[in-house]
Amino acid sequence: MVERFVAARGVDDPRVLAAMLEVPRHRFVPEPLRGKAYGDHSLPIGHGQTISQPSVVGLMTQRLGVQEGQKVLEIGTGSGYQAAVLSRLARSVYSLERIDELARAASSILRELGYQNVSVKAFDGTYGYPAAAPYDRILVTAGTHEIPETLLEQLAVGGRLVAPVGPADRQRIRVVRRRKTDFAREDGEEVVFVPLLGKFGRTSA
Ligand code: SAH
């Protein structure tokens, strides 16, 4: 999967590829769909949500550029797969999920796999998680028209935020870098994510 789909899409950061080789994606996919876990597609995980396509996880993770020792915030835990990949790259990962049951399921798989540096919280991630801010890296894994200000405020100076930004049917991977006095933005590959809902997210699904 990593060679055929992720590297083939241009992901060449050896740390990202190694992290994706290490995490067993099938553990984050519902039993009946496990046979499809290593294809390059998103898959339903219940509650109308999906585990992202491996090549897209690779691209987003590469764009995020997590360095050893960093603290990362993810919005949209979903299955927990992306959080698991991040946990191999960072010192600590906080991941927020608005659907209780998904948060609970992800949390228990992450624990079973021994990924102890991930903490999953069940609540509206558009508020961010001020208790552990600022973050060196923030990854939003749900589509949004605009990046909530609350998240930009929780980004450390010199930090980087990655999010799929655009209308509901297609977004671009946006990379935002926080500099001393302002933010630099750059848009990349086109992707399709389920909507970021919540207080500062999309008003409709
Ligand atoms: N990163 C996930 C896939 C994300 S799917 C994985 O690796 O499997 C997007 C997830 O974002 C869904 O689970 C959805 O419930 C969640 N979500 C949407 N809006 C949210 C919000 N405001 N706060 C937290 N989670 C949210």
Side-chain angles (χ1 to χ4, degrees):
M1 171 188 93
V2 171
E3 219 169 274
R4 269 183 74 191
F5 306 124
V6 182
R9 189 104 183 241
V11 175
D12 56 6
D13 179 333
R15 290 186 74 232
V16 173
L17 296 171
M20 292 190 71
L21 279 171
E22 183 184 336
V23 177
R25 188 168 185 264
H26 68 278
R27 296 294 303 278
F28 297 87
V29 166
E31 289 273 3
L33 296 174
R34 284 200 174 164
K36 296 187 174 169
Y38 295 99
D40 196 26
H41 24 246
S42 58
L43 292 166
I45 55 171
H47 303 273
Q49 307 303 326
T50 53
I51 175 173
S52 310
Q53 210 180 328
S55 60
V56 171
V57 170
L59 284 172
M60 301 277 285
T61 309
Q62 173 150 299
R63 293 252 178 231
L64 197 62
V66 180
Q67 310 288 311
E68 247 170 88
Q70 289 187 331
K71 181 166 53 171
V72 180
L73 175 68
E74 181 195 20
I75 315 301
T77 314
S79 67
Y81 176 70
Q82 173 76 71
V85 172
L86 293 172
S87 80
R88 306 299 82 204
L89 300 166
R91 175 171 57 79
S92 56
V93 178
Y94 294 85
S95 184
L96 310 177
E97 171 56 55
R98 60 185 280 280
I99 300 173
D100 267 20
E101 274 174 55
L102 291 179
R104 246 179 288 136
S107 193
S108 87
I109 298 166
L110 290 163
R111 204 172 36 238
E112 272 174 41
L113 292 171
Y115 300 154
Q116 288 172 349
N117 58 340
V118 192
S119 168
V120 178
K121 313 271 177 201
F123 64 78
D124 179 358
T126 63
Y127 289 95
Y129 186 56
Y135 302 95
D136 303 301
R137 299 289 186 264
I138 299 179
L139 178 60
V140 183
T141 62
T144 180
H145 265 295
E146 242 183 289
I147 297 169
E149 281 295 324
T150 40
L151 298 182
L152 294 172
E153 284 163 12
Q154 290 173 35
L155 188 61
V157 173
R160 199 184 296 177
L161 177 151
V162 172
V165 178
D169 61 340
R170 80 203 120 80
Q171 304 93 37
R172 280 188 184 280
I173 300 178
R174 179 168 296 175
V175 179
V176 180
R177 287 182 172 78
R178 182 166 198 172
R179 304 186 292 209
K180 265 197 195 120
T181 54
D182 64 355
F183 294 89
R185 297 174 164 76
E186 192 190 319
D187 281 348
E189 295 84 353
E190 198 168 293
V191 287
V192 184
F193 273 82
V194 296
L196 178 72
L197 303 173
K199 171 88 168 147
F200 307 111
R202 293 196 192 283
T203 47
S204 68

